[in-house]
Structures are given as structure tokens and as C-alpha cells.
Amino acid sequence: MGCSKRPKGPNPADEEIKKRRDAEAAAEQARKDVKAAEERIAELNRQNKKTQEEAKVARQAAEKAAAASLAQARKEKEAMAEAKRAADEARLRAEAAARTASEEAKKKAVEAEEERKRTAAVQEQARRDAQAAQERAKKLQEAADEEKKKAAAAQEAANVSKKAAEEQVKVANVAREEAERKLKEGIQPVVTPTPEEVSAAKRRVQYREDLFHIAIAGIAGGGKSSLINAFRGLRNKDIGAAATGVTETTLVMARYPHPNAEYPLVLYDFPGAGTLKIPDWQYFNDQGLYVFDSIIVLFDNRFTMTDIAILTNCRRFKIPTYIVRSKADQHIRNIMEDMGYDSDDDSSKVKKLHQAARQQFIQQTRQSVKDNLQNANIPDQRVYIVSNKTMLDVASNTTIFDVLARKQPKTIDEIELLSDMIREAQIRRGHRD
């Protein structure tokens, strides 16, 4: 039997080897593309921490795509190995039986072509995935650049805001310096409360339309609490009396309704002005004195700028005021001692000395208040000179009718003050009715 001739044309095995090499080269190129994408993503992560998470997602997606590509390449490699093995079998069978081998070779060639097409499709997909990864990386870079622009814009806005704030601070400092200058010159700042502030102040003092609300205001240590106790017929040590002391004892506003139902009065004890806690130029508005029906401006040794500020604001708000100098008995005793008072003097001498000291004290007080009001461009008004002890006796031993009729022993201004307050309360309450 003679040897059969090999069919002319390309060797299928060589073609398979070439195709396998091409597929491996394509897979290697795909791996390089994936590696390049990973490096690009890592670089983007270092450049912009704000997009780190998104870049991580992109890198993971790229790795996933690369893994899928490698897996597919491995499958193709295995398929190519299988194809080679099949081609080898076909070659052996072709040598044994040319016709059968020829048909089988054709069949394998067709299968190899299909595998080549599938490999090409995988390569194309890997290329597209790599391209998509690059596009995502580009978008992330663009997003990072946009965030950088926004950050720069925000910084610029912050700089503008800072500059505006600095300008506001300058304006505020100028206003503060101007206010301080005016205060030094005796010019008090004008502050008008809002309707909301007025309503809040009335709620705070428990304001009632059927009562007459009187605030006792003035410098710290002026005897406000003692005067309130005297008005209410209470000694300083009695239960329910306002706290008193050498130092300022009233730290918050206190409300004291008059215990006698005939007196439609509610008295309010306020912290003393002129302390570190309460600056005198803020005293009137901070304490909400603008909601009261009348205000007693109480002073002891001297008429101060605090008193002037309260009186000026009361004129602005058309609030009746009573200028009161308390502790008259103490001041008269001091003047008597300056005149040479001796406890061993006979009663007639003591009486004359007391009368002279009393008259001097009254004249000096009235003249001092008049001068202070004139210097502050405030119209002259009466000053009530009272002794807390005498006021206590008047308030404890009289009825409203006695006060209004002024049927009391000789005093200074205690009866007049109490009767004027009650009459004003009745008039204003009648207007409300």
C-alpha cells in the first residue's frame, strides 16, 4: 500500500498555535490596560481625597473587569489547548485515514474559527471595559477638579465674609466708642423696646390692668427694700418682708403686692443700678421699667447719673415719677452731730437743734435735686423726703381715707408721697375702667 499524499495548504496546527499566541498577546495587552487603569485610579486617589471613595469604586470595577477578562482569557487558553489537542488527534487520524481526517480537520477549523471569534469578542469587551474605566477615571478627575474649584470659590466667599465681618466689627467698635464718649459726656443712649419686648416685660412682672404697678429703682444700697417694707407696713425682719442688708441683697426683680386690699398697689424691688452686674446706662431698659405705671427714683446721699438716666427715660415713655430721698432721720442726726449735738443736752435744746438740722437737710436736698435736674435739662419736680421708720408708722396705722385726708401727726413728706401715689393709682385705674 503506497503512502498517501498530504493535502496542500496551511497546516491547521500551526494556525492554531498562531491564534493561541495572538490570544495570549491580546490577554497580555488587556492586563496591561487594566494595570494602567489601576495606576491612574490610584494616582487620582492620591490627588483628591474627597473623591477617594468614588475612585475606590472605579478601581474595584476595573479590577473586576480585569479579573473577568483574565478568567475569560484563561478559558480561551484552555479552549485553545483543547483545540490543539483536538487538532493533534485530527492530524493522527488524518494520517491513518486521509478522508476522515480531512473532514474532521474541516470541522475543527470551523470550531477554531468560532473560538477565535469568541476570543476576539472577549478582547473587544476587555478593551471596552478598559476604555470605560478610563472614562470613569476621567470623570472622577473632572469631578475632583470641580470640587477644587468649589473649594476655591468657598474660600473666596469665606474671605469676603471675613472681610465683611471685620468691617462690621470696625463699625461696632466705632459705635461703641461713640456710645462711650456720649456716656462720658452725660448723653445716654436712646433704646426703644420692641412690642415683643414690652409684652415679655409685662409677662415677667405679672402685669394686671386692675392694679397700679410701682417700681422702686435707683443706685445700689439706696434703701429700696426697706422703703418697700415700710410702704407695706412691714418691718425688715417681718415674715414676707423684702430682704435688706448693708450690701446689695436684691439680685433679681421681686414682686410685692400691698397686703391691704384698699391699696391697689403692687411694688417691685429691683437690683441696684451702678453695680458691675447692672451698668447704669442699661438699667432702665434691661430691667423693663418702661412697662410700669409709675417709678420711684430713690436716692440716699447724692443724686447720680443713674437717677438722671431713669428720669430721662420716664419722660420719654410718659411714666409718672416720684423722686424720693430716704433715711431722712439718719441724715438729720448726722447734721445734728455736726452742729454739736450732745446726748446730755436738755430737751429744749435738742428740740431746737433737731428743728434746725431738719430744716437744713430739707433745704439742701431740695436745692441739690433742683440743681441736678436743671443741669440735666429736666424740668423741676418735687422731691419727697422720707424716713423709712416714719413711713412704716404711717402705712401701719392709717387707712386709705386717712392718708387721702392727711390726718396724721407731723412728718416730712411721708403722707404726701403715699397719698399722691394712691391718688394717681385711683385716677389711672378709673381711666382703664
Side-chain angles (χ1 to χ4, degrees):
M1 187 174 179
C3 294
S4 60
K5 296 181 179 180
R6 289 183 180 177
K8 295 180 178 181
N11 191 330
D14 293 338
E15 290 185 352
E16 291 302 323
I17 293 172
K18 183 177 182 301
K19 293 174 182 178
R20 179 175 59 80
R21 290 175 178 173
D22 292 341
E24 290 175 347
E28 179 63 22
Q29 184 61 40
R31 284 192 296 272
K32 291 180 179 181
D33 293 340
V34 170
K35 183 176 180 182
E38 291 175 348
E39 292 176 351
R40 179 61 175 165
I41 291 172
E43 179 64 21
L44 289 173
N45 285 337
R46 288 189 296 271
Q47 293 177 352
N48 193 339
K49 290 183 179 180
K50 290 184 179 180
T51 58
Q52 183 177 4
E53 196 61 31
E54 294 179 351
K56 181 179 178 181
V57 172
R59 180 177 58 78
Q60 290 175 347
E63 289 176 351
K64 184 177 180 181
S69 176
L70 290 174
Q72 188 62 34
R74 283 195 296 270
K75 290 181 180 179
E76 294 300 326
K77 184 176 180 180
E78 292 172 359
M80 292 172 63
E82 180 62 23
K84 180 178 181 302
R85 186 185 63 78
D88 290 341
E89 291 178 354
R91 180 177 57 77
L92 293 174
R93 286 194 296 271
E95 291 176 351
R99 294 185 182 87
T100 303
S102 178
E103 292 295 329
E104 189 67 24
K106 290 179 181 179
K107 182 178 179 181
K108 293 298 181 182
V110 171
E111 291 177 354
E113 179 63 20
E114 292 176 352
E115 290 297 332
R116 184 192 65 78
K117 290 179 180 180
R118 283 195 292 272
T119 300
V122 169
Q123 293 174 347
E124 178 63 20
Q125 185 62 43
R127 185 188 65 79
R128 291 177 180 176
D129 290 342
Q131 184 178 0
Q134 291 177 351
E135 290 176 355
R136 283 194 296 272
K138 182 179 179 181
K139 289 180 179 179
L140 289 174
Q141 180 62 46
E142 292 174 351
D145 293 340
E146 183 65 23
E147 289 298 326
K148 185 177 180 181
K149 291 180 181 178
K150 290 180 179 179
Q155 182 63 43
E156 180 65 22
N159 291 337
V160 172
S161 299
K162 180 181 178 182
K163 185 176 180 181
E166 290 173 348
E167 289 297 325
Q168 291 177 354
V169 169
K170 290 181 181 178
V171 172
N173 287 335
V174 170
R176 177 180 58 78
E177 292 172 357
E178 178 65 13
E180 291 176 350
R181 181 188 65 79
K182 289 182 177 180
L183 285 173
K184 291 179 180 178
E185 295 175 358
I187 304 173
Q188 299 296 328
V190 177
V191 181
T192 302
T194 65
E196 293 77 12
E197 290 173 332
V198 173
S199 298
K202 285 189 173 183
R203 287 193 300 271
R204 187 169 62 251
V205 303
Q206 303 176 45
Y207 191 93
R208 285 174 46 182
E209 294 295 332
D210 60 332
L211 296 175
F212 193 69
H213 306 78
I214 303 174
I216 315 294
I219 199 72
K224 299 184 299 300
S225 300
S226 296
L227 183 61
I228 286 177
N229 292 334
F231 277 140
R232 299 172 69 222
L234 298 174
R235 292 182 296 272
N236 289 341
K237 300 301 182 181
D238 287 345
I239 296 175
T244 59
V246 176
T247 59
E248 180 66 17
T249 56
T250 302
L251 299 180
V252 294
M253 180 272 293
R255 185 177 188 271
Y256 297 101
H258 199 285
N260 190 339
E262 293 182 345
Y263 296 84
L265 308 176
V266 182
L267 302 166
Y268 292 81
D269 193 1
F270 280 90
T275 67
L276 291 177
K277 302 184 184 77
I278 306 166
D280 56 358
W281 64 274
Q282 292 179 329
Y283 187 78
F284 188 90
N285 280 63
D286 282 359
Q287 298 302 310
L289 297 180
Y290 43 77
V291 301
F292 285 88
D293 298 307
S294 71
I295 295 176
I296 293 177
V297 178
L298 182 67
F299 70 102
D300 181 10
N301 291 317
R302 63 190 184 281
F303 204 61
T304 67
M305 291 305 298
T306 299
D307 306 320
I308 294 294
I310 294 173
L311 291 171
T312 301
N313 279 291
C314 285
R315 285 179 56 78
R316 287 179 53 223
F317 289 92
K318 295 181 173 56
I319 300 173
T321 56
Y322 302 92
I323 301 176
V324 177
R325 184 169 193 185
S326 64
K327 305 179 182 179
D329 48 353
Q330 297 178 21
H331 292 297
I332 292 173
R333 175 59 64 91
N334 292 337
I335 294 175
M336 288 177 63
E337 291 177 354
D338 291 340
M339 290 179 173
Y341 167 73
D342 191 331
S343 59
D344 295 331
D345 291 339
D346 59 66
S347 59
S348 61
K349 183 178 180 180
V350 171
K351 184 177 180 180
K352 290 180 180 179
L353 198 61
H354 179 273
Q355 183 64 30
R358 183 177 184 272
Q359 189 63 28
Q360 178 180 326
F361 172 65
I362 293 173
Q363 290 177 353
Q364 288 177 348
T365 298
R366 298 197 192 286
Q367 187 62 45
S368 173
V369 171
K370 182 176 181 179
D371 293 342
N372 277 275
L373 293 176
Q374 185 176 2
N375 292 335
N377 294 321
I378 297 176
D380 190 23
Q381 69 180 83
R382 178 175 182 176
V383 55
Y384 296 85
I385 303 172
V386 302
S387 162
N388 289 346
K389 182 178 182 301
T390 305
M391 180 62 74
L392 174 62
D393 293 338
V394 170
S396 301
N397 301 316
T398 62
T399 67
I400 187 171
F401 304 106
D402 294 330
V403 172
L404 293 177
R406 302 189 180 185
K407 296 178 180 179
Q408 279 295 311
K410 188 175 182 180
T411 58
I412 302 180
D413 294 324
E414 291 84 1
I415 294 177
E416 286 82 356
L417 174 60
L418 193 56
S419 62
D420 288 350
M421 288 169 53
I422 294 172
R423 185 176 289 106
E424 180 70 22
Q426 290 178 327
I427 293 173
R428 291 174 71 89
R429 189 169 64 170
H431 288 168
R432 291 171 182 168
D433 297 339

